[in-house]
């Protein structure tokens, strides 16, 4: 089994997802993974080397990897990396199902990646059926994280399964992501709000403060107990976060029956 190194955070996620954890020797940006609970089981034991935000070449050399998986941001150091071990550049993408196959191919484990994708797609169908049965299909939803004095919202490719597959209704004229004020949220007045934990701890607004705000308290989602504080990785474009998101919606829909 090859031991890859200099894995950008997304590609470590993909190897964890297909059960190739033992092959991961080092990750660039490991501290970012530690912000998200879904990766706790993989990062808490200290078996994976932190290669720094920018890959530290000496650390990579010490690990003696069989292969290095890099991304387009590593193009300027490709020659240096290639002197340490065979280096494969995989372009980043918002579509994790494409990327996980490319990462798995490096390990010769495409079948495991396909199994993960198939399991995810079946889960999508199962949760979509639950939404239909619960009568929640068609309800509007916003995916937010507190940011500055307001929120960041998330949509686009990474959130399309929640809308196109599960059946939540998106809001027109909203981009893939952006900032929105509390007043902006109030104008939309969604049926559901999924509020991601602020892992940056830099927002000026905290949930406890929002709970005392009359604008927030008047939101339809708040009045109907349809605000769910979630781990932010469910709003990300990675395999394990996307799967975890389905688990979250499944749990909510089962409680809606």
């Amino acid at each position: 089994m090859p031991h890859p190194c200099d894995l950008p955070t997304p590609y470590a996620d993909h190897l964890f997802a297909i059960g190739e954890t033992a092959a991961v020797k080092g990750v660039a940006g490991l501290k970012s993974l530690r912000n998200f609970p879904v990766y706790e089981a993989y990062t808490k034991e200290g078996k994976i080397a932190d290669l720094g935000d920018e890959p530290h070449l000496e650390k990579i050399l010490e690990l003696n990897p069989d292969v290095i998986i890099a991304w387009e941001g590593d193009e300027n150091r490709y020659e240096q990396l290639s002197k340490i071990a065979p280096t494969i550049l995989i372009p980043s993408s918002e579509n994790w199902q494409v990327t996980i196959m490319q990462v798995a191919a490096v390990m010769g484990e495409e079948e495991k990646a396909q199994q993960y994708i198939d399991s995810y797609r079946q889960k999508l169908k199962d949760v979509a059926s639950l939404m239909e049965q619960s009568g929640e299909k068609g309800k509007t939803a916003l995916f937010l994280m507190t940011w500055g004095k307001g929120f960041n919202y998330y949509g686009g490719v990474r959130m399309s399964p929640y809308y196109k597959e599960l059946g939540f209704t998106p809001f027109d004229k909203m981009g893939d992501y952006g900032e929105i004020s509390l007043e902006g949220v109030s104008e939309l007045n969604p049926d559901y709000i999924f509020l991601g934990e602020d892992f940056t701890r830099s927002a000026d607004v905290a949930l406890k403060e929002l709970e005392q705000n009359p604008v927030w308290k008047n939101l339809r989602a708040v009045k109907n107990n349809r605000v769910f504080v979630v781990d932010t990785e469910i709003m990300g474009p990675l395999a394990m976060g996307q799967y975890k998101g389905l688990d979250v919606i499944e749990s909510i829909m089962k409680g809606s029956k």
Side-chain angles (χ1 to χ4, degrees), residues 50-202:
D50 187 351
L51 303 177
D53 293 333
E54 293 291 330
H56 196 288
L57 295 176
E58 290 184 2
K59 287 184 179 180
I60 296 173
L61 185 60
E62 289 173 4
L63 292 174
N64 190 30
D66 298 308
V67 63
I68 295 172
I69 302 177
W71 69 304
E72 66 266 24
D74 292 316
E75 286 178 339
N76 62 344
R77 60 178 70 87
Y78 176 81
E79 185 174 342
Q80 293 171 298
L81 292 171
S82 296
K83 291 178 180 178
I84 298 173
T87 300
I88 299 172
L89 288 174
I90 297 177
S92 57
S93 170
E94 289 277 290
N95 188 336
W96 67 265
Q97 295 182 41
V98 171
T99 312
I100 198 172
M101 290 297 294
Q102 294 175 312
V103 173
V106 177
M107 311 298 294
E109 297 290 356
E110 296 96 321
E111 186 175 345
K112 287 184 178 180
Q114 190 59 57
Q115 289 172 350
Y116 191 91
I117 292 170
D118 291 345
S119 175
Y120 172 83
R121 289 176 176 168
Q122 184 59 52
K123 184 87 169 182
L124 264 178
K125 293 178 181 178
D126 293 343
V127 179
S129 179
L130 276 176
M131 283 195 63
E132 184 85 47
Q133 295 168 23
S134 66
E136 300 303 285
K137 183 177 180 179
K139 297 291 181 69
T140 56
L142 272 182
F143 294 83
L144 305 170
M145 186 178 83
T146 53
W147 186 260
K149 297 184 182 300
F151 307 90
N152 275 346
Y153 69 82
Y154 300 90
V157 173
R158 66 173 67 178
M159 307 310 294
S160 64
Y162 298 100
Y163 295 118
K164 293 182 179 179
E165 305 289 340
L166 296 186
F168 284 118
T169 297
F171 291 93
D172 294 335
K173 299 180 181 178
M174 295 186 76
D176 289 353
Y177 60 88
E179 295 185 25
I180 188 170
S181 65
L182 177 56
E183 290 71 26
V185 173
S186 178
E187 289 177 12
L188 297 174
N189 204 13
D191 296 304
Y192 278 82
I193 291 176
F194 296 93
L195 187 62
E197 293 275 13
D198 176 20
F199 66 88
T200 68
R201 298 177 180 83
S202 61

